Amino acid sequence: MTLNENMIRVVLVDDQQLFRSGLAIILGAQLDMEVVGQAADGTEALQTVAATRPDVVLMDVQMTPMDGVEATRRIFETDSAKLGRAPKVIMLTTFDWDKHAATAVRHGASGFILKDSTPEFVCASIRAVHAGSSVIAPQNLAALLESEPEPAREVPENFAALTDRETEVFAAVALGLTNQEISGRLFLSESTVKTHIGAILRKLELRDRVQIVVYSYENGIGR
């Protein structure tokens, strides 16, 4: 049987077999997804990813002996990653705002969602990151915005390189606003908003909107 090249190849990594099995059933029922491997910890995850070359990895944060954060760091340090062939990684967390998951985002993960997210949201998140977007579950973002920021620290030098308008756009992205919402709030066209976001990512050496949110939280700015 010829494999459908449009299928999203997924690897599931979690130390709870029952949870993995449930996810596998849900994803296997999707017409555009295929579970190509499973792993119970970070070490197995690295081996499985290397063997199956998935498009997306759902990675639990808390595992032993190697947790999901370290596994994610190693995935994005491989030769394949340097050649642009690393899979997208979505962190699975039990907590609304998980600093470990935020660290994984800095290492290269495309976002994080709660383990009790609805099947529809999990599938939508996989499709989103496969298409090049990033994700933070609404519950995660709400908890982040309501939480206390990290202790005050010196603002990174690269943040000072942002223009006044870029700083406004940065603050709006950090609040979880969409390009359309930012456009309406700041009276800019959506294409201009996209241009500013691109400049922000470049100047701050960030990869995507999720990293902007994490950067904002960790440095106590834009909130």
Side-chain angles (χ1 to χ4, degrees):
M1 181 176 64
T2 302
L3 293 176
N4 185 345
E5 294 182 355
N6 295 320
M7 295 285 276
I8 303 174
R9 295 165 53 81
V10 182
V11 161
L12 306 177
V13 185
D14 193 281
D15 56 3
Q16 298 179 28
Q17 184 175 356
L18 185 60
F19 179 78
R20 291 201 318 270
S21 298
L23 265 182
I25 292 172
I26 292 170
L27 302 186
Q30 307 303 306
L31 297 179
D32 59 343
M33 295 182 194
E34 175 186 15
V35 176
V36 296
Q38 298 186 37
D41 60 51
T43 301
E44 288 186 15
L46 296 176
Q47 297 169 347
T48 303
V49 167
T52 61
R53 299 183 64 178
D55 300 307
V56 178
V57 179
L58 290 183
M59 180 84 74
D60 186 23
V61 171
Q62 302 286 352
M63 297 179 293
T64 57
M66 183 190 294
D67 65 20
V69 177
E70 176 62 16
T72 298
R73 184 186 70 79
R74 295 193 187 191
I75 285 174
F76 286 98
E77 285 187 347
T78 62
D79 290 337
S80 292
K82 294 173 183 177
L83 293 174
R85 294 199 295 263
K88 305 293 185 179
V89 178
I90 302 174
M91 305 306 295
L92 298 170
T93 176
T94 307
F95 307 102
D96 284 340
W97 175 245
D98 190 325
K99 294 181 181 180
H100 299 296
T103 299
V105 168
R106 290 201 303 274
H107 289 324
S110 294
F112 49 97
I113 62 176
L114 293 175
K115 294 181 74 170
D116 63 357
S117 297
T118 65
E120 293 79 10
F121 187 83
V122 173
C123 292
S125 297
I126 291 172
R127 294 185 181 104
V129 301
H130 182 250
S133 299
S134 51
V135 294
I136 295 183
Q139 305 98 315
N140 295 91
L141 186 56
L144 169 60
L145 298 178
E146 292 170 1
S147 66
E148 292 295 325
E150 290 288 284
R153 66 184 70 177
E154 185 176 349
V155 176
E157 290 184 8
N158 55 5
F159 188 78
L162 300 185
T163 66
D164 290 343
R165 180 61 87 181
E166 287 167 357
T167 300
E168 292 177 330
V169 173
F170 174 95
V173 173
L175 290 173
L177 301 185
T178 65
N179 287 358
Q180 183 177 17
E181 291 168 335
I182 296 172
S183 173
R185 173 178 287 200
L186 300 181
F187 304 102
L188 300 171
S189 68
E190 288 192 48
S191 61
T192 299
V193 171
K194 291 179 181 179
T195 298
H196 284 312
I197 292 175
I200 292 167
L201 294 175
R202 183 176 65 256
K203 291 179 180 180
L204 301 185
E205 299 181 344
L206 303 176
R207 189 186 65 254
D208 52 37
R209 301 172 80 98
V210 171
Q211 288 198 337
I212 289 178
V213 174
V214 172
Y215 183 101
S216 169
Y217 176 85
E218 294 185 332
N219 291 287
I221 53 180
R223 298 182 54 178

